[in-house]
Amino acid sequence: VDANGDKKTYVELQTSPANVHFDAAFVGRRKNMDKSYNAEYQTAIAIDGTLNDPSDVDKGWVAEWRIPFKQIRGVESAPKPGDKWMVNFFRLDKVRKGGRVVENQASAWSSPLSGDFHNIARFAELNF
């Protein structure tokens, strides 16, 4: 999330199918990672399959997010109609067979075109 659209400062928020969170703030593409940034956000996970069981084929999972606006660094209040933020959304998966990673899968709302999901120049516009 690059809320001010400067293509320099942004935050990364992650969740996993096990509902594990990771967050960090950056000043520049992959620069000055601040792991002390601690956004308080909530996620709820629904899995259609069995987590970490390679003996079956999972159908998928869904994550629902609740992110208070003030938890995003640099945001003081809720956006107003017409405000625009630069954001991207990603799905990353390591397909395993026999305990080994056999394939990496990724998809994005706005393709980074570089194999790097930190390509903030390729974030898409989120219009409120």
Side-chain angles (χ1 to χ4, degrees):
V1 177
D2 177 6
N4 67 7
D6 68 357
K7 297 184 180 172
K8 294 178 186 170
T9 57
Y10 64 102
V11 299
E12 176 180 344
L13 306 172
Q14 296 182 18
T15 193
S16 72
N19 209 19
V20 174
H21 290 179
F22 172 82
D23 49 18
F26 295 83
V27 179
R29 181 177 171 177
R30 286 197 176 273
K31 294 182 181 172
N32 306 307
M33 180 168 65
D34 179 0
K35 290 195 270 183
S36 70
Y37 167 71
N38 187 24
E40 295 180 19
Y41 59 102
Q42 299 170 326
T43 56
I45 306 297
I47 299 172
D48 189 357
T50 50
L51 186 61
N52 296 327
D53 181 356
S55 69
D56 68 352
V57 177
D58 298 332
K59 292 183 181 174
W61 67 287
V62 175
E64 182 176 327
W65 295 59
R66 180 183 172 278
I67 308 167
F69 291 117
K70 289 186 178 184
Q71 292 298 311
I72 299 172
R73 185 173 279 178
V75 175
E76 299 299 321
S77 61
K80 297 179 265 335
D83 284 354
K84 297 175 182 179
W85 291 6
M86 302 306 292
V87 301
N88 213 343
F89 303 100
F90 293 91
R91 180 199 61 87
L92 306 171
D93 190 16
K94 293 179 186 252
V95 179
R96 292 177 170 85
K97 289 189 180 172
R100 292 185 17 212
V101 175
V102 296
E103 180 183 359
N104 287 307
Q105 295 180 351
S107 56
W109 183 45
S110 175
S111 174
L113 299 178
S114 67
D116 178 7
F117 60 86
H118 285 265
N119 187 359
I120 53 180
R122 292 286 307 155
F123 284 15
E125 205 171 72
L126 179 63
N127 297 297
F128 291 91

